[in-house]
Amino acid sequence: MEFRHFIGNTWSAPDNGATLDVIDPSTGEPFAAIGRGNAADIDAAVVAARGAMGEALDGPWATRSPAERADLLFAYAAAVLEHGDELAQLEARDTGKALKTARTDAAVLARYLRYYAGCVDKLHGETLPYTTGFTVLTIREPIGVTGHIIPWNYPMQIYGRSVGASLAAGNACVVKPAEDASLSILRLAEIAAEVGFPAGAINVVTGLGSEAGAALSANPGIGHISFTGSTVTGALVARTAADRHCPTVLELGGKSPQLLFDDADLDEALPVILNAIVQNAGQTCSAGSRLLIQRNIYEQVIERLAERFAALRSGPPAMDLDMGPLVNAKQHARVRGLVQLAESEGIPVAGRGKIVVEASRSGFFQEAVLFRDVPPQSRLAQEEIFGPVLAAIPFDDEADAVKIANGTPYGLVAGVWTRDGSRGLRLARKLQAGQVFINNYGAGGGVELPFGGVKASGHGREKGFEALYGFTALKTIAIKHG
Ligand code: NAP
Ligand code: MG
């Protein structure tokens, strides 16, 4: 299987003819190839997208009425559901995620498309009170061409939340998927063409981040960039974009804490806490990767969680176990390195899952690990590991818990488990995070809920209605009529 870029509703060969191997993380073996895009390919995609918008918003995409845009997005959502299994199989093979996770991703993508389809004809401006003799109104106009740099952990969901919202706001899109997760995105662009999106509305250029991604960040035809990925690459993209005053939305992951108090309902909390770190083998930006436990229930909670960790199984996606392999050799080495470092520092392992015998030894499998008594300043408690590794930390009281929770560079999501309603709210106000969950925890999902970080977790908001505003340019029109 050799895939080309998808530009202007046609498969187009990479400018320089170069390709990249697509690796199956379950075996470490290549099974397909994608185009290794460069600046010329990005240029071609931007030209196609600008063609869809037209020089004066008179192109075939820009002239669709809001109701027509909504109809297309609804049809797109239906087609994604129809092709759900095909997309999930493709994604599981490409990224190693368990099939059930990939199926959920396809369903959530369809939900994003339906949500934003429903928003299209409700994205209106305001009339503003001003000096006598004036009428002033605001209009939310499309930006033009938006760029979308998508990571490999939840390609379909992230495509849904950023491309779905941008199309709803009336823009045309140029997408650069991660080299490790391009296949589902290419198929999604093809499906969009099949349901009737005009040429240039959605374009996909595959390749390396340092080549195709960097070219997208630097392209003067792109008026807005949505980036999800690491803090370092996010800052690089934002710096490049800043040179031409191009706004960015950066979603940069986290080290999200869950605070477990002694009055919490443990039967309800523990399965959710486990899932929040195990889901997608811990490769989730909002993974609950730190568990802060009140000291008087610490031993009891560790014991119960350790049992659950010991029962976790990692194996090939088709076996649909708790976890598939990690996405690539680099991530595998990184996660293993951080686990080994923590062990060598003497941080105790309280529980460890297993890799099943059916898993190929050349695959990128990592068992789940529960560390206890993790010093809050250790790398294990400070760095985003992006693997199934949970750091348990004891705390004494509310003040102590908040201090530890806020004591990392990140601020994406936080969870509070308590039956004391006032405490839940009090802490929600004190925690530095873009989302706080009380007596639940939503790693991913929640298409209606604005999502994004503070501090090193990034800026701007995706998901929900809020995301739409970021994809528009607000114009104020002041009319003097006397
Ligand atoms: P990354 O470098 O930030 O990659 C994210 C996206 O940016 C990918 O599409 C990547 O393309 C692209 N990219 C890379 N370099 C670029 C550049 N110079 N200009 C423009 N785009 C560029 O992340 P990674 O190396 O895959 O993973 C490293 C760590 O990042 C992980 O361990 C994890 O901590 C974090 N991460 C977070 C999220 C999240 O959801 N917040 C997602 C993924 C990773 P290529 O992959 O093709 O190079
Ligand atoms: Mg792959």
Side-chain angles (χ1 to χ4, degrees):
M1 284 191 290
E2 190 165 317
F3 295 88
R4 298 172 162 203
H5 306 312
F6 197 79
I7 298 175
N9 280 2
T10 50
W11 294 106
S12 82
D15 164 69
N16 57 9
T19 59
L20 294 167
D21 280 346
V22 177
I23 308 288
D24 179 342
S26 294
T27 61
E29 299 294 330
F31 69 97
I34 51 170
R36 180 170 170 172
N38 62 14
D41 295 313
I42 292 287
D43 268 340
V46 171
V47 167
R50 291 183 79 95
M53 296 305 291
E55 280 313 309
L57 293 183
D58 53 358
W61 176 234
T63 47
R64 296 288 171 111
S65 71
E68 287 170 326
R69 283 208 306 276
D71 285 347
L72 265 178
L73 281 164
F74 277 123
Y76 197 11
V80 164
L81 283 181
E82 226 168 85
H83 293 282
D85 197 57
E86 174 200 344
L87 288 163
Q89 298 279 356
L90 203 57
E91 189 89 301
R93 181 102 197 258
D94 197 3
T95 67
K97 64 172 64 196
L99 255 180
K100 58 188 170 193
T101 315
R103 288 203 177 95
T104 303
D105 287 359
V108 176
L109 160 60
R111 175 79 188 102
Y112 274 116
L113 295 174
R114 282 201 307 274
Y115 178 85
Y116 285 117
C119 292
V120 175
D121 50 7
K122 296 156 195 82
L123 184 61
H124 50 70
E126 294 177 308
T127 55
L128 307 177
Y130 188 51
T131 310
T132 310
F134 277 78
T135 295
V136 179
L137 51 106
T138 58
I139 301 180
R140 294 202 170 268
E141 297 184 334
I143 289 171
V145 179
T146 55
H148 306 262
I149 300 176
I150 297 184
W152 40 261
N153 54 344
Y154 290 92
M156 287 197 271
Q157 289 203 32
I158 293 171
Y159 175 91
R161 77 189 189 198
S162 82
V163 172
S166 182
L167 291 169
N171 302 293
C173 303
V174 176
V175 184
K176 208 304 275 178
E179 76 207 64
D180 291 311
S182 294
L183 304 191
S184 59
I185 303 296
L186 286 168
R187 181 71 183 111
L188 284 169
E190 189 184 34
I191 292 173
E194 287 163 10
V195 301
F197 278 87
I202 302 170
N203 309 277
V204 178
V205 174
T206 58
L208 299 174
S210 55
E211 297 174 357
L216 184 150
S217 317
N219 193 294
I222 290 196
H224 179 283
I225 296 174
S226 298
F227 172 89
T228 303
S230 62
T231 46
V232 173
T233 308
L236 196 66
V237 167
R239 270 198 295 274
T240 306
D243 279 342
R244 60 194 157 82
H245 311 290
C246 169
T248 53
V249 168
L250 303 182
E251 201 273 88
L252 307 178
K255 191 74 188 174
S256 298
Q258 300 211 52
L259 283 55
L260 185 60
F261 284 87
D262 61 4
D263 62 349
D265 180 341
L266 293 185
D267 292 337
E268 203 176 312
L270 295 187
V272 177
I273 287 169
L274 189 77
N275 184 56
I277 187 62
V278 166
Q279 175 184 318
N280 207 31
Q283 302 168 115
T284 304
C285 43
S286 51
S289 53
R290 288 185 296 154
L291 178 61
L292 281 46
I293 308 166
Q294 197 157 23
R295 206 176 291 276
N296 56 342
I297 55 165
Y298 188 70
E299 292 305 332
Q300 175 199 350
V301 168
I302 294 286
E303 197 176 311
R304 287 178 66 174
L305 268 182
E307 258 173 48
R308 288 170 184 265
F309 265 74
L312 291 171
R313 298 285 177 274
S314 306
M319 288 181 73
D320 242 350
L321 302 171
D322 303 299
M323 282 169 285
L326 301 183
V327 75
N328 60 29
K330 186 181 115 191
Q331 287 299 116
H332 191 222
R334 185 181 137 74
V335 173
R336 282 158 67 100
L338 283 163
V339 167
Q340 278 161 13
L341 176 79
E343 286 183 280
S344 74
E345 285 172 347
I347 302 177
V349 171
R352 200 190 290 266
K354 289 196 172 52
I355 297 170
V356 297
V357 290
E358 291 86 347
S360 158
R361 295 185 72 86
S362 56
F364 310 132
F365 295 95
Q366 166 66 46
E367 71 273 21
V369 189
L370 169 65
F371 282 99
R372 56 171 293 165
D373 314 342
V374 178
Q377 292 313 317
S378 62
R379 282 185 68 185
L380 191 59
Q382 289 287 323
E383 281 186 31
E384 182 174 57
I385 294 179
F386 238 57
V389 180
L390 181 60
I393 305 170
F395 70 82
D396 292 312
D397 54 22
E398 278 184 28
D400 194 24
V402 169
K403 189 162 169 249
I404 298 170
N406 289 342
T408 76
Y410 292 105
L412 192 58
V413 174
V416 183
W417 294 90
T418 176
R419 283 196 179 92
D420 179 340
S422 302
R423 167 149 68 194
L425 261 180
R426 189 161 58 239
L427 292 186
R429 301 299 297 268
K430 288 183 178 168
L431 289 167
Q432 296 168 344
Q435 285 188 334
V436 179
F437 292 94
I438 301 174
N439 293 328
N440 70 105
Y441 192 85
V447 307
E448 311 85 348
L449 315 180
F451 176 74
V454 296
K455 298 162 50 182
S457 291
H459 56 76
R461 292 293 175 263
E462 299 198 282
K463 303 189 180 185
F465 210 90
E466 192 69 30
L468 285 170
Y469 298 138
F471 286 112
T472 64
L474 188 76
K475 183 177 279 171
T476 305
I477 302 177
I479 308 144
K480 183 177 179 187
H481 40 65

